[in-house]
């Protein structure tokens, strides 16, 4: 059995993994390979340091270190390719999982809409709207009839009322024209207090009185 077969279920007849489970397993595999990468990179650095250290002193040890370094680099290259494949597969599964969720949601919405319209008929809806419009017309007519003051002075002649109003206005205008002059009631009242005379006029009156008195004695 292959490595991927063991990882994703293995035996024939087993229930296939869901997209969510498959994505999770791919992520776990990615983490495992990344750790393997880090291990190989450290080994490559160690072998390179060993080769440099024994380059002039122990040529055989240096060559063996370089051979191991080459093997580690080849393994690292293989892991890089595997990681790229797994990453693309995981992205494809995530896209499929998203599409599945979207399609399921759309299907549920379509079923809900179908259930909502199950007991509806287009003709019945049109008939109902016609009934509503008819009842609105009836309600409007009833409202107009109630607001119209029937038999409450509607038999009065409007022209006659206009003529009477003009006569009243003419009478008021004639009255105003006759009363244009000021009335005695509007004139100011005469002063009731005694007018104070100037001192010179008062002195002259007193002299006149004295002169009249002397003349009467002389006669």
């Amino acid at each position: 059995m292959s490595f991927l077969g063991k990882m994703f279920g293995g035996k024939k007849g087993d229930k296939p993994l869901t997209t969510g489970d498959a994505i999770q397993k791919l992520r776990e595999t990615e983490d495992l390979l990344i750790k393997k990468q880090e291990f190989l990179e450290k080994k490559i650095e160690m072998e390179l340091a060993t080769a440099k250290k024994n380059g002039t002193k122990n040529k055989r040890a240096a060559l063996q270190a370089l051979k191991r370094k080459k093997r580690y680099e080849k393994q690292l290259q293989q892991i890089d390719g595997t990681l790229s494949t797994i990453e693309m597969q995981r992205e494809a599964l995530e896209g499929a999982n998203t599409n599945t969720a979207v399609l399921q949601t759309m299907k549920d919405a379509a079923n809900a809409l179908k259930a909502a319209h199950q007991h509806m008929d287009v003709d019945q809806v049109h008939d109902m709207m016609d009934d509503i419009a008819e009842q609105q017309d009836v309600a409007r007519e009833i409202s107009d009839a109630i607001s119209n003051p029937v038999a409450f002075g509607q038999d009065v002649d409007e022209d006659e009322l206009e003529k009477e109003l003009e006569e009243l206005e003419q009478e008021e205008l004639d009255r105003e024209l006759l009363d244009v002059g000021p009335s005695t009631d509007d004139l100011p009242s005469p002063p009731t207090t005694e007018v104070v005379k100037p001192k010179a006029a008062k002195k002259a009156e007193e002299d006149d009185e004295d002169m009249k008195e002397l003349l009467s004695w002389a006669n």
Side-chain angles (χ1 to χ4, degrees), residues 62 75 93 98 100 105 115 120 122 133 163-164 173 181-182:
Q75 293 180 26
L93 281 172
T98 301
T100 301
T105 302
M120 292 185 183
V122 177
K163 184 177 180 180
E164 184 177 353
L173 181 61

Side-chain angles (χ1 to χ4, degrees), residues 19-114:
T19 54
D21 293 337
I23 291 170
Q24 182 61 33
K25 285 186 174 295
L26 285 173
R27 286 175 178 170
E28 293 174 357
T29 304
E30 282 183 276
D31 294 337
L32 179 63
L33 292 176
I34 290 172
K35 291 179 180 179
K36 182 67 174 177
Q37 272 184 328
E38 294 174 353
F39 173 76
L40 289 174
E41 288 172 352
K42 290 179 180 180
K43 296 291 288 184
I44 291 170
E45 292 176 359
M46 290 174 59
E47 298 299 338
L48 183 60
T50 301
K52 288 181 179 180
K53 181 180 179 181
N54 298 298
T56 56
K57 298 178 182 180
N58 190 343
K59 186 176 180 180
R60 182 177 179 183
L63 291 174
Q64 291 296 326
L66 290 176
K67 288 181 180 180
R68 288 192 295 270
K69 173 180 166 294
K70 289 293 183 181
R71 290 200 305 267
Y72 294 150
E73 287 177 346
K74 187 176 181 180
Q75 293 180 26
L76 188 61
Q77 186 177 3
Q78 291 174 345
I79 291 175
D80 288 339
T82 304
L83 277 174
S84 297
T85 302
I86 290 177
E87 184 178 357
M88 288 188 293
Q89 190 176 15
R90 176 177 54 79
E91 291 175 352
L93 281 172
E94 288 174 346
N97 194 30
T98 301
N99 293 336
T100 301
V102 171
L103 290 175
Q104 185 61 42
T105 302
M106 294 175 65
K107 181 180 179 181
D108 294 340
N111 291 334
L113 188 62
K114 183 178 179 180

Side-chain angles (χ1 to χ4, degrees), residues 90-151:
R90 176 177 54 79
E91 291 175 352
L93 281 172
E94 288 174 346
N97 194 30
T98 301
N99 293 336
T100 301
V102 171
L103 290 175
Q104 185 61 42
T105 302
M106 294 175 65
K107 181 180 179 181
D108 294 340
N111 291 334
L113 188 62
K114 183 178 179 180
H117 292 161
Q118 184 176 2
H119 302 291
M120 292 185 183
D121 182 80
V122 177
D123 295 334
Q124 292 178 353
V125 172
H126 285 305
D127 293 339
M128 181 183 65
M129 296 305 296
D130 292 339
D131 292 339
I132 292 174
E134 182 179 354
Q135 292 305 316
Q136 287 179 343
D137 293 337
V138 172
R140 190 180 302 107
E141 292 177 2
I142 293 174
S143 179
D144 293 341
I146 292 174
S147 62
N148 188 17
V150 179

